[in-house]
């Protein structure tokens, strides 16, 4: 009998089955506008059915037809790598689309209102009058997304995680519906800092997990804590629709008077480098089923490290957000140490992503650093600092984005948000062109594509269209890679309920609180004053805060109130307003706050406007200040010497010192404990001898202070910076050099140097200290 061959029959049956199953290896779910397409063995896609995007089936897999041309383009093919996809997409973009991609929006609140960064409307009306939902897009947001082709949005405050998720979905649906379907890459400045008066308890949840400030993370001396923070915060960011972190701030804190000292990881180059590396690894790395390729994936958040080449060496401590602080100086000829957190930290990651994906230069003119072209211009404008140093010498191939507002016209030497330092005479379009030619890819705080297009035309006129098109595509490729790698082209949409469950969940809140406890530093504990037994009676003086001005120059109201959440205190101690009834006194203060280093009133009196920034509470006369200044010069000034020698300032919160001394007097021989929230180094000689114990915190919840005070947690934090003996050593130190102050020695004989800290047994001496001390 002849043997039958069934193979042709089986093949035919299989082919027929493919026809009836749609020849596809994917399935679609979802009942609303947003649909999910699951590829078996491939990427999951998300799209909005109102956007006009269709699903293509190629080799049984599903792909999004983002440009709606009915065929699969390379950039739409999730099987290709990010670099190949970015190059294909950039080649398809118009100059106007690339110009929009190079924009980074001004600050956007959700919902938006009237702020110092501009006014927003909904259907032509202010938000409260518009009837709009909190997650609706403002008129201005719709304009910059559609007309200016902007795709990078800086998100500030959000009403809630749910509102943020719904707003993000609306943004992505709009972007998906137009042009080439390029999704938005939303970003945020750091948003996980603790609210001091918030209560933590088992089972608590909040708007977002709360962690110590950057100095507090540094005080743990443990990069693993920082890496873990990055892993947690990245999940929360992604649940809010945020895929780029405008952080970490890794400026080396070599100038103790600088107003942004508290945003750094301290003054040790190697510690700052290790923290920077851990931060970027934590934020950027996806693992398991969330990974896509090369360590990147659906829980990855791009990090934009700042501020190249280090914003710490501000002359006199004045900050470069303002014309009076535009100069960084190098009296110690020490640019090298200031680069270490970048070159040895963020650019040399342990994880697969290998390097931070973006860099932000600072506003400063790094005075005298350019030894090739001899330009003293803001860092972003400097061909030497961006192209020669960052790009060529150190091989950074990622995105370079300016700080916010560097192309805006200066309006006053003390005006905020106008920081075109060194290029004041150029037009706005000429500034954009100079930035592009220096090696910059993106313009922070600019919603308008017009000046970028004009800059392109300038380049065409000077170099020809082929050259300028290639230069624009170069930036577009860098920017697009950061969007591809985090999976936004496949699925930019959020599960709103999932976002609500993720952000600020119980476990994340606990993780943040544990880190806060680890960050607290005990400087003094005379006669084992600490820990204090619970239910003892405590006297806490109220703080009188005078009216003043904030960092931006805006007015702040005066107040009289407890400096700590008194309701939380009552869960630990009995509280009295009568010192005679108290077992001990607790004084909660802030480190001295003496202003910005510039005073318009001094100008009215015939001075140059420049005044000291003091690190002590009491009056300080700068008899030994530098004269003349190293750098100077501004279109609004007819002089170059910015010295403040022989001028006097007093801290605006000098009342904090009075609180300590008055409490000491009122408590007589009973213990007085001081808890000081430190934002920069301070002079402890004004009160240390008058108190029994000193705890230093770096932006933690009040409850963490109380848990350490009562022994629920043994202090383990170490100083990430030096504490000066007096203001003389502050004046004599060099702005660009770490570890060059004479440190304060207290009445117990302990030196408040980098790496110092006490636990219940005394001075801590462990591997953390030896690893980083004076390196």
């Amino acid at each position: 009998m002849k043997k039958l061959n069934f193979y042709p029959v089986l093949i035919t049956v299989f082919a027929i089955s493919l026809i009836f199953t749609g020849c596809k290896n994917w399935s679609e779910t979802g009942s609303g506008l947003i649909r999910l397409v699951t590829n078996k063995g491939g990427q999951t896609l998300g799209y909005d059915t109102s956007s006009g995007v269709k699903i293509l089936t190629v080799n049984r897999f599903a792909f999004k037809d983002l440009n709606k041309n009915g065929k699969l383009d390379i950039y739409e093919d999730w099987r290709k790598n990010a670099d190949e996809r970015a190059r294909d997409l950039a080649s398809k973009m118009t100059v106007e689309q690339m110009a929009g991609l190079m924009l980074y929006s001004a600050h956007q609140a959700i919902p938006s209102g009237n702020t110092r960064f501009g006014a927003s409307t909904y259907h032509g009306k202010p938000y409260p009058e518009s009837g709009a939902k909190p997650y609706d897009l403002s008129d201005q947001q719709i304009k910059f997304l559609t007309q200016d082709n902007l795709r990078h949005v800086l998100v500030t405050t959000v009403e809630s995680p749910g509102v943020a998720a719904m707003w993000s979905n609306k943004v992505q649906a709009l972007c998906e519906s137009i042009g080439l379907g390029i999704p938005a890459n939303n970003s945020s400045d750091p948003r996980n800092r603790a609210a001091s008066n918030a209560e933590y308890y088992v089972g608590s949840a909040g708007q977002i997990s709360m962690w110590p400030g950057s100095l507090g993370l540094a005080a743990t001396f443990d990069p693993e804590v920082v890496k873990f923070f990055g892993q947690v915060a990245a999940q929360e960011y992604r649940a809010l629709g945020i895929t780029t972190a405008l952080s970490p701030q890794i400026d080396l804190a070599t100038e103790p008077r600088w107003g942004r000292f508290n945003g750094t990881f301290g003054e040790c180059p190697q510690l700052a480098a290790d923290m920077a590396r851990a931060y970027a690894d934590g934020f950027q790395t996806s693992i398991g089923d969330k990974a896509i390729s090369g360590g990147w994936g659906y829980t990855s958040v791009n990090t934009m490290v700042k501020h190249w080449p280090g914003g710490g060496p501000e002359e006199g401590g004045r900050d470069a957000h303002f014309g009076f602080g535009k100069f960084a100086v190098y009296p110690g000829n020490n640019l090298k140490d200031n680069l270490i957190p970048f070159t040895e930290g963020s650019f040399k990651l342990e994880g697969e992503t290998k390097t931070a994906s973006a860099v932000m230069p600072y506003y400063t003119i790094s005075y005298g650093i350019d030894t090739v072209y001899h330009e003293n211009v803001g860092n972003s404008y400097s061909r030497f600092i961006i192209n020669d140093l960052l790009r060529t010498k150190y091989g950074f191939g990622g995105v370079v984005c300016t700080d916010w507002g560097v192309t805006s016209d200066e309006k006053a030497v003390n005006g905020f948000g106008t920081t075109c330092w060194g290029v004041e005479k150029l037009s706005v379009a000429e500034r954009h062109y100079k930035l592009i030619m220096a090696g910059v890819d993106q313009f922070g705080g600019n919603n308008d594509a017009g000046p970028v297009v004009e800059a392109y035309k300038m380049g065409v006129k000077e170099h020809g269209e082929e050259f300028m098109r290639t230069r624009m595509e170069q930036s577009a490729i860098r920017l697009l890679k950061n969007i591809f790698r985090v999976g936004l082209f496949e699925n930019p949409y959020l599960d709103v309920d999932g976002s609500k469950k993720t952000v600020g969940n119980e476990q994340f809140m606990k993780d943040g609180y544990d880190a806060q406890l680890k960050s607290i530093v005990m400087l003094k504990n005379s006669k084992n004053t600490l820990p204090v037994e619970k239910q003892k009676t405590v006297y806490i003086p109220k703080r009188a805060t005078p009216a003043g001005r904030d960092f931006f120059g805006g007015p702040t109201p005066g107040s009289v109130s407890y400096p700590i959440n008194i309701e939380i205190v009552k869960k630990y101690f009995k509280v009295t307003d009568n010192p005679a009834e108290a077992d001990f006194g607790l004084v909660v203060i802030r480190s001295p706050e003496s202003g910005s280093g510039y005073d318009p009133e001094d100008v009215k009196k015939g001075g140059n406007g420049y005044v000291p920034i003091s690190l002590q509470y009491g009056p300080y006369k700068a008899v030994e200040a530098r004269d003349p200044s190293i750098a100077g010069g501004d279109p609004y000034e007819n002089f170059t010497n910015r010295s403040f020698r022989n001028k006097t300032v007093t801290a605006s919160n000098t009342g904090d010192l009075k609180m300590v001394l008055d409490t000491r007097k009122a408590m007589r021989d009973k213990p007085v404990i001081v808890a000081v929230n430190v934002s920069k180094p301070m002079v402890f000689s004004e009160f240390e001898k008058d108190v029994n114990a000193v705890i230093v915190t770096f932006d933690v919840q009040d409850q963490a202070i109380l848990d350490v005070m009562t022994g629920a947690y043994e202090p383990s934090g170490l100083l990430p910076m030096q504490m000066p003996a007096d203001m003389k050593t502050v004046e004599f130190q060099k702005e660009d050099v770490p570890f060059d102050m004479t440190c304060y020695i207290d009445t117990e004989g302990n030196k408040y140097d980098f790496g110092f800290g006490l636990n219940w047994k005394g001075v801590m001496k462990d591997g953390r200290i030896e690893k980083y001390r004076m390196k």
Side-chain angles (χ1 to χ4, degrees):
M1 184 176 178
K2 188 176 180 182
K3 213 172 191 182
L4 295 176
N5 186 355
F6 288 102
Y7 287 109
V9 177
L10 290 173
I11 291 172
T12 302
V13 170
F14 180 67
I16 293 172
S17 70
L18 285 178
I19 292 172
F20 282 101
T21 57
C23 298
K24 64 183 185 180
N25 196 25
W26 55 271
S27 60
E28 183 171 318
T29 57
S31 56
L33 289 175
I34 298 173
R35 304 293 175 86
L36 291 181
V37 176
T38 303
N39 280 297
K40 188 176 180 181
Q43 297 299 321
T44 296
L45 313 179
Y47 74 105
D48 189 297
T49 55
S50 68
S51 69
V53 165
K54 303 298 182 184
I55 298 299
L56 302 173
T57 301
V58 178
N59 294 332
R60 303 183 65 213
F61 286 115
F63 302 88
K64 293 164 67 173
D65 185 13
L66 290 167
N67 61 2
K68 308 171 185 68
N69 65 354
K71 65 178 183 179
L72 180 64
D73 294 286
I74 292 174
Y75 86 91
E76 297 166 335
D77 190 345
W78 44 259
R79 298 170 299 183
K80 306 290 186 182
N81 64 52
D83 184 72
E84 188 177 358
R85 296 175 75 183
R87 291 180 184 279
D88 177 65
L89 179 51
S91 72
K92 292 175 166 59
M93 296 176 73
T94 66
V95 169
E96 289 75 18
Q97 288 170 330
M98 288 190 287
L101 191 66
M102 295 171 76
L103 303 177
Y104 224 127
S105 84
H107 301 66
Q108 303 295 310
I110 307 170
S112 295
N114 295 334
T115 70
R116 62 172 53 90
F117 304 110
S120 297
T121 58
Y122 294 78
H123 310 296
K125 298 180 180 179
Y127 173 70
E129 303 169 16
S130 67
K133 302 294 186 184
Y135 47 80
D136 285 341
L137 306 190
S138 71
D139 299 335
Q140 291 71 29
Q141 291 163 358
I142 293 170
K143 177 186 178 297
F144 64 56
L145 291 171
T146 57
Q147 297 180 31
D148 293 288
N149 297 297
L150 184 149
R151 289 297 179 273
H152 294 81
V153 184
L154 172 55
V155 176
T156 55
T157 58
V158 299
E159 184 175 288
S160 69
V163 165
M166 289 187 281
W167 177 86
S168 178
N169 285 347
K170 284 205 164 203
V171 169
Q172 300 295 5
L174 177 58
C175 292
E176 191 174 77
S177 72
I178 55 179
L180 295 164
I182 300 172
N185 181 356
N186 301 326
S187 71
S188 174
D189 281 310
R191 57 193 314 119
N192 289 81
R193 184 164 291 179
S196 62
N197 62 351
E199 182 175 8
Y200 171 77
Y201 55 91
V202 175
S204 65
Q207 290 283 65
I208 198 165
S209 63
M210 293 186 285
W211 297 70
S214 295
L215 279 178
L217 291 172
T220 69
F221 275 56
D222 186 354
E224 287 302 311
V225 172
V226 178
K227 183 177 180 179
F228 185 51
F229 159 69
Q231 293 167 340
V232 170
Q235 295 177 64
E236 295 184 306
Y237 276 36
R238 291 302 299 259
L240 293 168
I242 294 166
T243 45
T244 292
L246 302 186
S247 57
Q249 182 190 334
I250 59 174
D251 308 285
L252 195 63
T254 51
E255 168 47 61
R257 294 163 291 189
W258 186 32
R260 299 190 70 179
F261 194 110
N262 65 331
T264 74
F265 289 127
E267 67 177 303
C268 173
Q270 192 55 55
L271 177 62
D274 288 353
M275 295 303 191
R277 184 186 310 110
Y279 192 108
D281 270 330
F283 265 92
Q284 291 188 171
T285 304
S286 291
I287 60 175
D289 62 355
K290 300 298 183 182
I292 297 174
S293 178
W296 294 98
Y298 293 105
T299 55
S300 296
V301 173
N302 295 289
T303 56
M304 185 180 291
V305 295
K306 55 189 186 184
H307 305 86
W308 180 264
E314 303 269 14
E315 185 164 24
R318 299 181 297 273
D319 185 69
H321 276 86
F322 306 88
F324 57 71
K326 66 169 67 172
F327 295 106
V329 294
Y330 298 84
N333 194 29
N334 191 34
L335 176 64
K336 175 179 65 70
D337 278 352
N338 286 272
L339 296 181
I340 287 174
F342 298 90
T343 60
E344 302 303 315
S346 292
F347 298 168
K348 292 183 178 179
L349 304 186
E350 294 177 349
E352 290 184 66
T353 65
K354 296 182 180 179
T355 182
S357 59
V359 166
M360 181 189 296
Y362 203 39
Y363 297 113
T364 44
I365 295 172
S366 295
Y367 193 75
I369 289 299
D370 179 358
T371 56
V372 177
Y373 314 104
H374 305 288
E375 279 192 305
N376 279 313
V377 293
N379 293 324
S380 291
Y381 290 100
S382 172
R383 179 181 173 188
F384 176 77
I385 287 172
I386 303 303
N387 183 70
D388 294 16
L389 273 185
L390 179 61
R391 296 276 191 212
T392 304
K393 182 174 181 178
Y394 294 107
F396 182 74
V399 168
V400 175
C401 176
T402 74
D403 213 328
W404 264 233
V406 302
T407 58
S408 301
D409 290 321
E410 182 181 11
K411 294 180 174 62
V413 73
N414 61 337
F416 176 81
T418 54
T419 51
C420 55
W421 310 143
V423 293
E424 291 89 347
K425 294 181 180 180
L426 298 183
S427 70
V428 172
E430 288 170 334
R431 291 170 194 157
H432 282 80
Y433 180 50
K434 185 171 178 62
L435 290 166
I436 292 170
M437 299 313 292
V440 166
D441 304 301
Q442 201 164 28
F443 315 104
N446 184 2
N447 299 351
D448 182 6
V452 188
V453 175
E454 286 301 309
Y456 171 81
K457 293 176 181 178
M458 292 175 185
V460 170
K461 186 175 181 180
E462 183 174 356
H463 297 286
E465 189 166 2
E466 182 180 355
F467 172 91
M468 206 58 198
R469 169 84 198 188
T470 299
R471 174 63 190 89
M472 294 283 279
E473 283 193 25
Q474 184 182 46
S475 286
I477 291 166
R478 291 169 181 155
L479 291 160
L480 289 168
K481 284 169 69 173
N482 288 351
I483 306 177
F484 278 113
R485 292 188 296 203
V486 296
L488 287 174
F489 275 87
E490 278 57 72
N491 183 19
Y493 297 102
L494 301 173
D495 173 359
V496 176
D497 288 336
S499 292
K500 293 177 182 178
K501 292 175 183 177
T502 297
V503 182
N505 69 47
E506 178 183 343
Q507 184 59 51
F508 291 172
M509 296 298 284
K510 181 181 184 303
D511 294 336
Y513 189 74
D514 288 346
Q516 292 179 50
L517 292 171
K518 292 178 181 178
S519 75
I520 293 175
V521 180
M522 184 165 67
L523 291 185
K524 184 177 182 179
N525 192 23
S526 179
K527 298 180 180 178
N528 296 319
T529 299
L530 296 174
V532 179
E533 291 180 18
K534 282 189 173 183
Q535 296 309 309
K536 283 199 169 187
T537 302
V538 62
Y539 166 70
I540 302 175
K542 291 183 178 179
R543 175 191 287 139
T545 303
R549 294 195 174 275
D550 61 20
F551 177 82
F552 303 102
T556 57
S559 65
V560 177
S561 61
Y562 283 111
I564 189 170
N565 188 327
I566 203 67
E567 297 305 315
I568 296 178
V569 174
K570 289 177 180 177
K571 296 181 179 181
Y572 289 78
F573 304 113
K574 298 172 185 175
V575 178
T576 180
D577 288 329
N578 183 357
E581 298 175 354
D583 297 307
F584 69 99
L586 171 61
V587 189
V588 182
I589 60 176
R590 298 187 299 264
S591 53
E593 301 163 358
S594 68
S596 63
Y598 186 86
D599 185 2
E601 295 301 315
D602 182 67
V603 177
K604 293 178 183 179
K605 297 174 184 177
N608 64 1
Y610 292 86
V611 296
I613 296 175
S614 177
L615 303 183
Q616 66 185 42
Y617 294 104
Y620 165 64
K621 186 174 183 179
V623 295
E624 292 167 301
R626 178 186 294 138
D627 189 12
S629 62
I630 292 176
D634 188 273
Y636 286 89
E637 296 176 337
N638 58 5
F639 56 87
T640 57
N641 185 5
R642 294 181 162 191
S643 176
F644 48 82
R645 179 177 283 185
N646 290 322
K647 293 182 182 178
T648 301
V649 293
T650 302
S652 62
N653 63 331
T654 187
D656 282 11
L657 175 61
K658 187 174 186 300
M659 285 168 58
V660 175
L661 300 181
D662 287 352
T663 301
R664 170 74 282 160
K665 184 177 180 180
M667 293 300 298
R668 299 180 181 275
D669 294 329
K670 290 182 283 189
V672 173
I673 301 164
V674 168
V676 53
N677 189 51
V678 168
S679 61
K680 62 178 80 168
M682 60 180 288
V683 176
F684 277 90
S685 61
E686 293 179 292
F687 68 83
E688 176 273 323
K689 64 183 179 299
D690 299 297
V691 301
N692 303 87
V694 178
I695 290 175
V696 166
T697 64
F698 304 99
D699 298 319
V700 301
Q701 292 168 255
D702 295 338
Q703 188 172 348
I705 300 171
L706 299 169
D707 275 340
V708 168
M709 282 181 55
T710 56
Y713 186 88
E714 184 172 16
S716 61
L718 304 169
L719 285 178
M721 72 285 212
Q722 294 181 319
M723 293 296 180
D726 49 40
M727 282 302 298
K728 179 179 179 179
T729 190
V730 173
E731 296 291 2
F732 285 175
Q733 59 86 36
K734 295 180 174 67
E735 284 93 337
D736 59 326
V737 177
F739 307 137
D740 63 342
M741 292 193 295
T742 300
C743 296
Y744 179 68
I745 299 176
D746 71 10
T747 52
E748 303 288 303
N750 291 318
K751 181 188 287 188
Y752 292 179
D753 204 345
F754 171 83
F756 174 73
L758 303 172
N759 60 17
W760 302 141
K761 296 178 182 178
V763 179
M764 285 183 282
K765 297 179 180 179
D766 55 40
R768 297 175 301 163
I769 303 166
E770 295 308 313
K771 181 177 181 180
Y772 295 112
R773 185 180 292 278
M774 301 308 179
K775 292 183 180 180

